[in-house]
Amino acid sequence: MKKIIGAGVLLAAAAIFWIYGRGSTQTQKTSIKVGISIYRQDDTFISSMMGSLESYAKTLEQEKNIKISIDISDGNENQNTQNEQVERYISLGYDVLCINMVDRAEAATVIDKAEAADIPVIFFNREPVEEDMYRWEKLYYIGSDAKEQAVLQGQMILDALASRPEEIDINQDGILQYAMLEGEIRHQDSMVRTEWSVQSLKDGGASLEKVTGGIADWERAQASAMVEQWLTDYGDQIEIIICNNDDMALGAVDAMARAGLDFHNIVGIDGTPAGIQAVDEGKMLGTVVSNLDLHAQAIMDFAYAMAMGQEIDIEKWPLIDGKYIRIPQEIYVG
């Protein structure tokens, strides 16, 4: 009997040592590696976010007394390239992956690779399809709500129309003649922003007439060339230009400047530093600000917690449906 009791005590002690020893190994971690793949390096919103993320990572390093290594790769708008970057991060033993998908419909490929290696994934800015978000428990999405962005953009126009109708409804016919600059074709955010910016105007009682529109792939140069052609084709018929993001809005600003026109009825989305500056200078009517710093902080807080095997701070970052963090947004006008 004494031998049995003694063996039991030893087993219990071993179990306690294993549990606490295992926990202490996690807390003794002195460095983490974060692999980040973005869809395109020259996207102003994403590049600005990455700058903020790197800055916040340095703050976390000091707060947590841990080395945080960040590797940012450019997917160059090629899903195969991004998949190779993910495979590289996995082969090198990175602790967590942060992915800004090239093709949101291909997220399952990334998830399956990460799950096989048991490496957590944080998607950001370009939202995977909903069913993919529930393929595995160790993945989250961080980003702004595209519908909310569009509704706020529509509200911004409605507010301006109510407060100074002579500046918005330029020909005073009671109908808002608009042009639409859209992001990528088939991109969820582009489609949602396009649909709901217009729908929110209609819901607010505005009478609308679409003069023209086009897809400028989120890019300033493409938008600029497109608007320049619109000025030739439609002259002064356009009363406002609604843009899916700030870069395209700035392209419209560039076209107006080249044409020597004092036209600032241009609205964007993102609240990039350049977009906000254009609003302050009276070159744009306004933008919808998606807080870059909050995006960066959420991504790094999640990356740190998941890399360390810790629980997510849901008081600081309340989860929606256990998977989503929605960054708050606001209207910014001059």
Side-chain angles (χ1 to χ4, degrees), residues 157 161 165 167-180 198 201 206-213 230 234-242 256 263 265-266:
I157 298 169
L161 190 58
E167 294 180 22
I168 308 302
D169 182 12
I170 298 172
N171 63 12
Q172 294 293 288
D173 66 349
I175 301 172
L176 189 60
Q177 280 82 25
Y178 74 95
M180 177 72 72
V198 172
L201 284 167
S207 296
L208 302 175
E209 178 187 343
K210 183 176 181 179
V211 176
T212 188
W230 291 350
Y234 303 103
D236 59 0
Q237 295 179 43
I238 299 170
E239 295 178 317
I240 192 160
I241 301 176
I242 304 172
M256 295 301 169
F263 182 94
N265 288 351
I266 301 166

Side-chain angles (χ1 to χ4, degrees), residues 39-40 43 77 181-185 190 214-220 222-223 226 245 247-248:
Y39 92 105
R40 194 181 78 204
D43 182 296
E77 295 189 278
L181 280 169
E182 301 181 41
E184 295 173 52
I185 190 169
S190 178
I215 295 168
D217 289 330
W218 310 115
E219 294 184 9
R220 183 169 182 166
Q222 284 194 45
M226 193 170 290
N245 77 338
D247 269 6
M248 293 189 295

Side-chain angles (χ1 to χ4, degrees), residues 22-160:
R22 191 166 175 260
S24 64
T25 300
Q26 288 182 344
T27 58
Q28 289 172 2
K29 206 168 193 178
T30 58
S31 66
I32 60 173
K33 294 191 294 183
V34 181
I36 302 176
S37 176
I38 58 178
Y39 92 105
R40 194 181 78 204
Q41 181 68 46
D42 62 356
D43 182 296
T44 302
F45 183 72
I46 296 298
S47 63
S48 297
M49 186 193 298
M50 291 302 97
S52 182
L53 184 147
E54 289 178 308
S55 177
Y56 183 65
K58 292 177 182 177
T59 301
L60 266 186
E61 278 189 324
Q62 295 176 347
E63 288 180 358
K64 307 294 186 180
N65 192 28
I66 189 169
K67 174 65 177 175
I68 301 176
S69 299
I70 295 175
D71 185 352
I72 301 174
S73 299
D74 183 1
N76 222 2
E77 295 189 278
N78 186 304
Q79 189 57 56
N80 289 331
T81 297
Q82 188 167 68
N83 291 342
E84 291 170 0
Q85 292 165 355
V86 169
E87 290 171 358
R88 172 178 166 272
Y89 289 144
I90 291 172
S91 69
L92 293 174
Y94 276 62
D95 296 287
V96 62
L97 305 178
C98 302
I99 311 297
N100 170 226
M101 289 297 299
V102 171
D103 183 350
R104 64 186 290 267
E106 295 296 323
T109 301
V110 172
I111 294 167
D112 290 346
K113 292 177 187 294
E115 182 179 8
D118 196 29
I119 298 176
V121 183
I122 300 161
F123 293 105
F124 65 96
N125 184 253
R126 294 161 74 91
E127 184 176 337
V129 295
E130 185 177 3
E131 54 265 34
D132 284 342
M133 289 300 300
Y134 293 92
R135 292 176 69 92
W136 187 36
E137 69 273 13
K138 294 184 181 180
L139 56 96
Y140 297 94
Y141 175 76
I142 296 169
S144 298
D145 183 87
K147 180 179 176 180
E148 180 187 359
Q149 291 169 331
V151 170
L152 288 173
Q153 188 180 56
Q155 187 59 53
M156 180 198 317
I157 298 169
L158 288 170
D159 291 345

